[in-house]
Amino acid sequence: MSQKCVHKGCGKRFTDAEESCTYHPGPPIFHEGQKGWKCCKPRVLTFDEFLTIPPCTTGKHSTEELPVSTTAPSTEDETANQAPKPVAALTSESLAPRAPQPTPQSVPEQAPPEPESEEDDPSLPIPPNTTCRRRGCGASSSSSTPSSREGEQCVFHPGHPIFHEGSKGWTCCKRRVLEFDEFLRIEGCEKREQHKFVGSGKKGKEANGGGEERVENVKHDFYQTPTTVHASLYLKKISKANAKISFSSPMTIELDLPTTDSKRYTSSLPLYAPIDTEKSAWKIMGTKMELTLVKADGQSWPVLRADERRTGEIIQVGKPGRA
């Protein structure tokens, strides 16, 4: 009789106790919008990407539940105990009136892309050992090409995950649990006759047939010192060999960032204030690109991009004065 492995990231049914198992031995981590596992380095932004992070450890299947830790490792609260950084005192320069900034022109909204088909395209081959794309299913295709797909049944969650005040669940059903392991075991609330292994095969592809997905926008954030601005653009798997970053002018950065998984982000990034193009630098990492921008005039930046809406808050930088 087959049994189900309880290791995180595995969940397969097995009959041979000596069968190899790949899994995550560490707990999940959700911190400042990023998601991952404590046992390995990949960090992603969406929950669907989190579920596809490949396991990092190989061992044997198990049916014994691991003891639940009394601490909550999933939020990385270590940073919460750090003392807040002091804020610089106001100076006459920071209070001086500044010339009004031009209001950015509104960009016409583009029509949203057509949603991907919820069923597999019958003309597309299904690679062996492919995991179903529907949330909460977890079924894998056969190791050999099936002659027929009769008898399949996909049990999944059509909604999105919810994490609120310690409870975890799905928007499509009412059940709520406290532990992440229990959340992964919540049975799907909708059924379909077949799994979704490949979909339409056209998700994110450009109409010109180039086979490359165009990324329209990427998440970014920044912090600053009196002399520099440190910005992060979040895009995974940027190809270091093919990426092109040009400080074309003190007010603009030209970006052409292809990735190793057939995506590309291109943009002409308008900056809030001028920079020293000779001293500024960039660095590509696993999940993002970091920009170190040296200020040309030393003024404080309320936003990174010149076309972003100002929030009206005053951002102070520098060291506080002593009483």
Side-chain angles (χ1 to χ4, degrees), residues 302 309-314:
R309 184 173 62 88
R310 280 50 160 182
T311 62
E313 63 179 326
I314 299 175

Side-chain angles (χ1 to χ4, degrees), residues 21-319:
C21 170
T22 55
Y23 64 100
H24 291 289
I29 289 176
F30 301 94
H31 182 61
E32 294 183 351
Q34 294 192 344
K35 303 168 181 63
W37 296 89
K38 193 172 184 179
C39 50
C40 50
K41 293 183 179 180
R43 295 294 182 266
V44 298
L45 298 178
T46 68
F47 189 77
D48 289 343
E49 292 174 320
F50 165 75
L51 293 178
T52 61
I53 295 177
C56 59
T57 301
T58 301
K60 304 297 182 183
H61 291 301
S62 174
T63 57
E64 297 181 2
E65 296 283 354
L66 296 176
V68 178
S69 174
T70 57
T71 60
S74 61
T75 55
E76 286 189 352
D77 290 334
E78 293 85 353
T79 57
N81 296 324
Q82 296 180 358
K85 296 182 180 180
V87 180
L90 292 176
T91 64
S92 57
E93 293 182 359
S94 64
L95 295 176
R98 187 175 293 172
Q101 299 292 337
T103 303
Q105 297 181 356
S106 60
V107 179
E109 296 184 358
Q110 297 181 352
E114 295 183 2
E116 186 188 14
S117 172
E118 282 300 315
E119 305 295 338
D120 283 344
D121 186 340
S123 64
L124 295 177
I126 300 176
N129 300 317
T130 301
T131 302
C132 179
R133 293 185 178 183
R134 296 193 180 108
R135 301 181 182 94
C137 177
S140 298
S141 62
S142 172
S143 57
S144 59
T145 303
S147 58
S148 173
R149 298 185 61 179
E150 293 183 2
E152 283 187 6
Q153 187 178 59
C154 181
V155 183
F156 66 101
H157 291 287
H160 298 276
I162 291 179
F163 300 93
H164 181 62
E165 296 183 352
S167 68
K168 303 168 181 65
W170 297 87
T171 58
C172 50
C173 48
K174 295 182 178 180
R175 186 180 176 188
R176 298 291 182 268
V177 297
L178 297 178
E179 300 297 333
F180 187 78
D181 289 347
E182 295 176 338
F183 164 75
L184 292 178
R185 292 196 294 269
I186 296 177
E187 187 176 2
C189 56
E190 187 170 316
K191 296 181 180 180
R192 297 213 176 175
E193 293 183 355
Q194 290 185 342
H195 296 293
K196 179 182 176 182
F197 293 121
V198 294
S200 64
K202 300 179 181 179
K203 183 178 180 181
K205 302 300 181 181
E206 292 183 339
N208 58 13
E212 188 175 65
E213 178 181 348
R214 180 176 297 278
V215 179
E216 298 295 337
N217 296 290
V218 296
K219 180 182 177 182
H220 71 270
D221 57 26
F222 78 99
Y223 69 93
Q224 60 186 305
T225 69
T227 58
T228 57
V229 173
H230 299 268
S232 296
L233 304 181
Y234 294 96
L235 180 64
K236 298 189 306 177
K237 300 180 181 179
I238 300 175
S239 173
K240 296 181 180 180
N242 299 320
K244 298 178 182 178
I245 299 94
S246 173
F247 299 107
S248 56
S249 75
M251 295 293 294
T252 307
I253 303 177
E254 300 294 339
L255 302 172
D256 183 6
L257 306 177
T259 68
T260 56
D261 55 353
S262 300
K263 298 179 182 178
R264 183 180 293 270
Y265 174 68
T266 57
S267 175
S268 180
L269 180 63
L271 300 174
Y272 171 78
I275 62 172
D276 187 330
T277 57
E278 296 296 328
K279 297 180 180 179
S280 298
W282 53 272
K283 180 180 180 181
I284 293 177
M285 306 177 71
T287 58
K288 63 181 179 179
M289 183 185 73
E290 291 187 347
L291 296 168
T292 302
L293 309 176
V294 179
K295 297 179 181 179
D297 55 8
Q299 67 170 299
S300 177
W301 291 29
V303 293
L304 176 65
R305 301 174 58 106
D307 55 2
E308 287 183 292
R309 184 173 62 88
R310 280 50 160 182
T311 62
E313 63 179 326
I314 299 175
I315 300 178
Q316 300 173 356
V317 294
K319 297 181 178 180

